Amino acid sequence: MQRIPRIVGNLFHGIRLVRKTCLPLSNGGHQKNWKNFRIASYSSRAVFSKEYDYVIVGAGSAGCVLANRLTEDGQHDVLVVEAGPKDYSWDWRIHMPSALQYNLSSDTYNWYYMVEPQQHMDNRVMYWPRGRVWGGSSALNAMVYIRGHAYDYDGWEAAGAKGWSYADCLPYFRKSQTHELGEDDYRGGSGPLHVSRGKMKNPLFKAFIEAAMQCGYPYTEDLNGFQQEGVGPMDMTTYKGKRWSASQAYLRPSLSRKNLKTETKALVTRVLFEGTKAVGIEYVKDSQIRRMKAKKEVILSGGAINSPQLLMLSGVGNHTDLKRHGISTVLNKPGVGQNLQDHLELYIQHECKKPITLYKSSTNWINMGLIGIQWLTSHTGLGASSHLESGGFIRSRDGLRHPDIQFHFLPSAVIDHGRIVVDREAFQVHVGTLRATSRGFLTLRSPNPRDHPIIQPNYLETEEDRRDLRQSVKLTREIFSQKAFDEFRGPEMQPGPNVKTDNEIDAFVRQKGDSAYHPSCTCKMGDESDPMAVVNSKGRLIGAEGIRVVDSSIMPNVVSGNLNGPTIMMAEKLADVIRGRDPLPKSSAPVYNTPSAGQR
């Protein structure tokens, strides 16, 4: 997810932060950050500055995990190269949970991607923020910790990703986590990633859960446990009132190790190959081209956009596309950049009859300042939450094995990613479908690494996807119409009372649907006999040596939920693979089965 309204701002003597500090150029770059770039040639006689056992490209959710795990025994030298800056401790915009909108709306720590005009969504050009900072998108997101459904991972294995069933993955979810409610068969109790429950007592959170139950949906105490289906409290990656990103959990605790080195503000321009063996990387820092050698492996952890882009810049991709850009083919891999998947979501909004929403907290400068002071001095209060504290999963229709609709409830309302302030007391639910059948792609815009790639998610191409989003609106309206909301529910703001027919709902979806910020699957993991698989079940680039991809891009299919928790799990699991360790024993924890057809 996710877009949350501003709650804290102007903490320092009336400084107004600019929400949108740069304008995308027609070539996909940024006015502010990108300078002219010269592509340097590479030969086997090139001089490397230094050499490391492992070179990790990207200090995001996966890269931070790998940096920690590959250095913890002191046997390997590791370099982590990140295009963005550090997540400085003084920058409250990262660490204050409620301040997340500042970084989602700015390019300071954000790649600030824009997708191609969407043919099936009135040709809209949509915005995709992605993290460019230590912690990656875990430093920008709304801190919702959701793992997806057990059947997602069983589906991965059935699709050719051997060893990635739910029973194989659950032990690594547990390994990564310390849950504040304690350890059990599903929760971890000693991992680096702290997970907590919301502390806010807003009655609207309870109203949403009660209203869904009045519709016949079950209550579930743990959306990441035995039963995902239903409604209940949400888990968050916060700790003692602060955002607990992958950097805080994994990277920063490792910085004192002598065998870990980091580079920031360093753009990797390509992986260097000798034949089909990766031997190092080339990157630009301070306008200088540098090269680092990887004695064992180069590991790409740039995410679902940067990793396939870097592979293509390095000569790994569809031969025809590479030739068009004048890039010599190292390995013809047509699956690179294909299979792009994301979650599309909508905001269903109502005015609130009682002054209990976040409206005054997000629009009154005095209140905002007081909230900020409280958080800065004690890490408590409204600043200590992203305010997505209740939610759930339901099925759009009978006959589905597991839920395909997700809710995130918010006691406020947002417009245009939160860049437009709502002028009244209101609440909303973010609702979206989880397993779209439309597939997109990304490809190079040019051979210049500074240019953002062409991103084509291809939203709503299929009638099935349009039907499911239409149904999401109808089911959400049913929940908001229940008795539990009677004392709070004012007029519907969005879609609005005039939107009634299927055609009108479809038009609303086209006009207002937006990304849940879950791009994935562009370097999919699969069997080596699959011509569209990019990596095998061990994360190795199929057909090459000395290189792996470890991030959300290798998901065969997007999980039924948020991506940060699953990405961290994948990096934990593949860290054991890279180190040659036996996998953790499979879990025998049971999984909830949906009721018979016709029941909720």
Side-chain angles (χ1 to χ4, degrees):
M1 245 289 347
Q2 288 98 327
R3 297 157 293 283
I4 313 302
R6 290 182 305 167
I7 295 177
V8 178
N10 195 13
L11 299 181
F12 304 107
H13 308 293
I15 296 175
R16 290 182 64 107
L17 295 176
V18 179
R19 289 183 176 276
K20 196 170 183 179
T21 58
C22 69
L23 295 174
L25 297 174
S26 60
N27 68 357
H30 285 324
Q31 287 181 326
K32 187 171 86 169
N33 289 330
W34 303 142
K35 300 177 181 179
N36 292 331
F37 177 74
R38 177 176 62 87
I39 299 176
S41 62
Y42 167 72
S43 73
S44 60
R45 298 188 301 275
V47 177
F48 290 100
S49 301
K50 290 183 180 180
E51 60 180 35
Y52 298 85
D53 292 310
Y54 297 99
V55 175
I56 300 169
V57 180
S61 296
C64 289
V65 175
L66 294 173
N68 182 302
R69 296 306 189 190
L70 297 184
T71 59
E72 64 182 351
D73 58 11
Q75 295 181 7
H76 302 107
D77 293 320
V78 175
L79 171 68
V80 180
V81 182
E82 167 57 42
K86 299 177 182 180
D87 57 337
Y88 296 104
S89 60
W90 49 261
D91 197 336
W92 53 273
R93 294 172 300 176
I94 288 180
H95 304 292
M96 181 189 295
S98 68
L100 66 106
Q101 186 55 48
Y102 285 108
N103 295 322
L104 285 175
S105 300
S106 161
D107 78 336
T108 304
Y109 304 119
N110 183 352
W111 286 102
Y112 218 95
Y113 292 115
M114 307 297 288
V115 308
E116 297 300 295
Q118 292 304 286
Q119 177 182 355
H120 307 289
M121 298 188 71
D122 296 344
N123 288 315
R124 290 169 55 207
V125 175
M126 298 160 69
Y127 166 51
W128 275 20
R130 304 307 299 158
R132 184 173 52 81
V133 61
W134 275 6
S137 294
S138 73
L140 271 65
N141 68 5
M143 293 148 279
V144 173
Y145 180 83
I146 289 289
R147 295 172 176 175
H149 197 279
Y151 294 159
D152 296 331
Y153 302 98
D154 291 346
W156 285 8
E157 183 164 66
K162 297 178 181 177
W164 288 89
S165 71
Y166 180 66
D168 293 300
C169 293
L170 181 55
Y172 286 96
F173 278 119
R174 296 182 69 251
K175 178 182 180 180
S176 69
Q177 181 191 67
T178 292
H179 199 294
E180 69 173 2
L181 297 181
E183 187 173 5
D184 62 17
D185 289 344
Y186 305 92
R187 297 171 182 152
S190 57
L193 186 68
H194 284 278
V195 175
S196 64
R197 290 283 172 85
K199 306 298 188 294
M200 302 297 106
K201 303 300 181 183
N202 194 305
L204 289 168
F205 292 129
K206 182 179 179 182
F208 175 76
I209 293 173
E210 289 184 350
M213 293 174 65
Q214 288 167 359
C215 281
Y217 300 113
Y219 175 82
T220 179
E221 187 276 333
D222 188 353
L223 294 167
N224 293 305
F226 165 68
Q227 179 179 331
Q228 183 201 51
E229 183 160 8
V231 291
M234 294 253 258
D235 286 338
M236 300 183 293
T237 50
T238 58
Y239 182 53
K240 295 182 178 180
K242 297 177 64 177
R243 175 193 294 274
W244 202 246
S245 68
S247 172
Q248 297 297 310
Y250 286 93
L251 182 57
R252 286 194 169 275
S254 309
L255 293 178
S256 61
R257 297 172 185 168
K258 294 181 179 180
N259 59 330
L260 175 63
K261 303 298 181 183
T262 63
E263 285 270 31
T264 57
K265 300 181 180 179
L267 179 69
V268 178
T269 57
R270 59 178 165 168
V271 178
L272 302 175
F273 285 90
E274 292 180 356
T276 56
K277 180 180 180 180
V279 296
I281 63 167
E282 181 179 86
Y283 65 96
V284 177
K285 182 178 173 69
D286 298 328
S287 300
Q288 295 182 340
I289 296 173
R290 306 180 186 183
R291 298 184 180 98
M292 294 292 176
K293 184 174 183 178
K295 292 186 289 184
K296 291 182 179 290
E297 290 182 351
V298 173
I299 305 172
L300 305 188
S301 295
I305 299 172
N306 297 86
S307 286
Q309 180 189 20
L310 184 56
L311 284 174
M312 289 185 277
L313 290 168
S314 308
V316 179
N318 184 293
H319 171 72
T320 302
D321 290 343
L322 298 178
K323 184 178 180 180
R324 180 162 50 89
H325 292 294
I327 299 172
S328 298
T329 300
V330 171
L331 193 63
N332 183 25
K333 298 296 293 181
V336 174
Q338 299 299 306
N339 194 43
L340 174 60
Q341 299 175 42
D342 185 29
H343 291 141
L344 192 66
E345 68 178 9
L346 305 159
Y347 310 150
I348 310 300
Q349 301 173 335
H350 274 271
E351 291 187 30
C352 186
K353 295 191 291 186
K354 294 186 175 182
I356 57 173
T357 72
L358 301 177
Y359 169 62
K360 291 183 179 178
S361 301
S362 60
T363 57
N364 183 288
W365 291 105
I366 295 176
N367 289 342
M368 293 162 71
L370 293 174
I371 291 167
I373 291 170
Q374 180 179 357
W375 184 85
L376 288 169
T377 56
S378 65
H379 295 150
T380 61
L382 290 176
S385 174
S386 65
H387 301 280
L388 292 168
E389 298 191 4
S390 65
F393 297 86
I394 66 172
R395 286 169 289 140
S396 63
R397 59 189 185 277
D398 293 337
L400 297 177
R401 289 190 71 207
H402 58 304
D404 65 329
I405 291 176
Q406 182 176 9
F407 297 113
H408 300 77
F409 181 80
L410 178 68
S412 186
V414 299
I415 301 174
D416 186 27
H417 307 268
R419 290 179 286 194
I420 299 175
V421 179
V422 175
D423 61 355
R424 67 198 70 183
E425 300 276 355
F427 55 83
Q428 73 180 35
V429 72
H430 303 230
V431 58
T433 53
L434 298 169
R435 294 185 297 281
T437 56
S438 302
R439 293 290 181 270
F441 65 88
L442 67 86
T443 189
L444 294 180
R445 190 177 300 275
S446 83
N448 188 337
R450 300 290 193 187
D451 288 346
H452 287 175
I454 294 170
I455 304 172
Q456 175 52 272
N458 204 23
Y459 292 123
L460 297 181
E461 179 188 34
T462 69
E463 176 54 36
E464 183 177 351
D465 291 351
R466 295 190 286 270
R467 178 200 65 199
D468 290 346
L469 264 298
R470 185 188 312 137
Q471 184 69 355
S472 297
V473 174
K474 294 178 180 180
L475 294 175
T476 304
R477 281 174 155 174
E478 182 184 25
I479 291 174
F480 277 159
S481 70
Q482 299 302 309
K483 182 179 179 180
F485 273 112
D486 283 353
E487 62 179 305
F488 309 114
R489 184 181 57 251
E492 184 181 84
M493 297 166 54
Q494 188 169 282
N498 294 328
V499 176
K500 299 175 181 179
T501 68
D502 285 356
N503 287 338
E504 290 167 343
I505 293 174
D506 288 349
F508 163 70
V509 172
R510 292 194 304 270
Q511 295 160 10
K512 299 297 184 180
D514 229 320
S515 172
Y517 306 157
H518 297 160
S520 52
C521 309
T522 48
C523 296
K524 82 167 185 174
M525 176 169 51
D527 189 89
E528 297 193 11
S529 63
D530 181 353
M532 297 304 289
V534 177
V535 302
N536 65 16
S537 60
K538 295 183 179 181
R540 287 198 180 104
L541 179 63
I542 297 171
E545 299 177 65
I547 180 170
R548 296 182 204 249
V549 184
V550 182
D551 55 35
S552 64
S553 73
I554 71 172
M555 293 179 174
N557 287 296
V558 66
V559 296
S560 303
N562 308 68
L563 298 195
N564 183 234
T567 301
I568 289 173
M569 176 279 294
M570 295 171 76
E572 284 274 22
K573 193 172 187 304
L574 287 172
D576 274 357
V577 172
I578 294 168
R579 298 169 72 183
R581 294 187 165 193
D582 291 334
L584 296 177
K586 287 189 175 187
S587 170
S588 59
V591 176
Y592 171 79
N593 290 315
T594 58
S596 59
Q599 296 180 3
R600 285 184 170 176

